[in-house]
Amino acid sequence: MTVITDNHMHLDKKGLYLEAVHQFKRAGGGRIILVQKPGFPQTIEEFVQQVEQTLTMCQEVRQIVECYPVVGLHPAEFDRLFNKGKEDVCYQALDTVELYIQEKKVVGMGEFGRPHYPVSEQTYQASHEYMIQALIRSRELDCPIQLHTESLDSAGIEALDRLIKELGCSRVIKHFAPPIPEYDSMTPSILATESNITQAVTSGMKFFMETDYIDDPRRPGAVLGPKTVPRTTLKLLAEGVLTEDMVVRIHDQDIPSLYNL
Ligand SMILES: [Zn+2]
């Protein structure tokens, strides 16, 4: 039985939390890559606390399905800190993440990258440099990293891909990736709508599936719901868009091998 995996989900104790996990499981899901939800820390101590909360949640989720934590400083958090003159906290956060990886308490780094909304040129450059430092760290640690960026067209994906190749990184995942065929040195994680996945299958590329569920009661429907990955997978399998082999590869071979599960 294939363990259907959502490669990018956030959970919040103030949201549906474990109810969302039950929904995921009932729909046929079996494994969650739990990405730290931005908590907008002001100090390194707060960041550490938030990482610890993510790990605690992961333990609780494991009573229901497989769950593996990915932690990092989100680009929106970087933006906030940078513009308060606290860029040093961002770099301390990177050191903190490194410790968690070395202690094998987390399976990956993320989200790191650049804000998805318009920012000043200065903020953009600083976040770009921070992303590069996170990528270098991931290479040195031989650790997967999930990248979050502004929305990118084919040229943007190619430019990012070139950068990753130049840096020599081999375990990069592009979170919220458009289903286009330009990926070479990174694996796209694609929002699991039927049309996106159908397009990704047609182009024959390697990809993961995600919802980017944010578990925010104030923004229901802001992103895909927790049932989406298993639902779309099973529907497209029934329709013959996905084959049994593809489902096994996407969910049960490529994910464990990339994250060393
Ligand atoms: Zn996210």
Side-chain angles (χ1 to χ4, degrees):
M1 184 54 190
T2 310
V3 184
I4 294 179
T5 307
D6 190 326
N7 183 52
H8 189 112
M9 194 188 266
H10 303 283
L11 288 171
D12 192 326
K13 288 196 168 177
K14 297 192 206 80
L16 288 181
Y17 190 40
L18 294 179
E19 171 51 27
V21 179
H22 282 294
Q23 288 182 12
F24 172 74
K25 187 182 184 183
R26 280 197 296 269
R31 186 189 293 123
I32 291 170
I33 303 296
L34 183 65
V35 181
Q36 182 162 343
K37 183 166 169 166
F40 296 94
Q42 291 302 311
T43 61
I44 191 62
E45 291 75 19
E46 281 177 26
F47 179 75
V48 171
Q49 247 172 35
Q50 289 164 12
V51 170
E52 286 295 329
Q53 277 164 13
T54 304
L55 298 190
T56 305
M57 284 198 271
C58 200
Q59 286 305 328
E60 292 177 357
V61 172
R62 279 182 178 170
Q63 308 300 313
I64 306 164
V65 294
E66 284 184 45
C67 186
Y68 301 93
V70 164
V71 300
L73 189 81
H74 191 280
E77 297 177 305
F78 176 87
D79 173 23
R80 194 86 62 93
L81 287 166
F82 174 73
N83 284 293
K84 280 191 177 150
K86 294 184 181 174
E87 199 177 6
D88 56 324
V89 175
C90 303
Y91 282 89
Q92 289 165 5
L94 201 47
D95 293 339
T96 300
V97 169
E98 174 166 347
L99 292 177
Y100 279 88
I101 291 160
Q102 285 170 337
E103 290 170 4
K104 299 199 187 307
K105 289 181 174 166
V106 302
V107 298
M109 301 168 60
E111 301 168 45
F112 285 99
R114 302 185 298 240
H116 54 274
Y117 48 85
V119 291
S120 70
E121 184 57 29
Q122 205 192 5
T123 304
Y124 184 87
Q125 284 308 331
S127 66
H128 181 71
E129 181 52 38
Y130 186 62
M131 177 178 78
I132 289 176
Q133 293 309 318
L135 281 164
I136 291 173
R137 205 71 70 101
S138 83
R139 182 194 66 209
E140 287 167 350
L141 294 163
D142 191 22
C143 168
I145 181 168
Q146 290 211 16
L147 288 189
H148 169 115
T149 67
E150 72 278 17
S151 60
L152 298 171
D153 57 10
S154 302
I157 291 292
E158 280 169 357
L160 187 59
D161 215 286
R162 259 195 316 277
L163 172 69
I164 287 159
K165 214 174 290 169
E166 278 164 24
L167 293 171
C169 301
S170 59
R171 300 174 76 186
V172 181
I173 298 150
K174 175 65 181 83
H175 147 63
F176 215 93
I180 55 176
E182 273 78 6
Y183 306 91
D184 185 15
S185 37
M186 47 184 178
T187 307
S189 182
I190 297 179
L191 274 196
T193 63
E194 286 174 40
S195 66
N196 275 350
I197 301 307
T198 303
Q199 226 177 302
V201 168
T202 310
S203 72
M205 66 211 207
K206 175 176 169 175
F207 65 91
F208 297 141
M209 292 166 71
E210 66 172 46
T211 52
D212 197 18
Y213 179 64
I214 53 169
D215 204 13
D216 187 341
R218 290 163 307 170
R219 293 170 64 201
V223 284
L224 302 177
K227 296 176 233 167
T228 315
V229 167
R231 256 195 191 164
T232 299
T233 301
L234 297 172
K235 178 138 191 272
L236 294 182
L237 180 63
E239 289 172 359
V241 175
L242 286 167
T243 65
E244 197 78 57
D245 280 357
M246 285 174 186
V247 172
V248 169
R249 199 170 61 229
I250 295 166
H251 294 289
D252 237 359
Q253 289 176 353
D254 293 344
I255 290 265
S257 92
L258 188 99
Y259 291 101
N260 272 342
L261 304 183

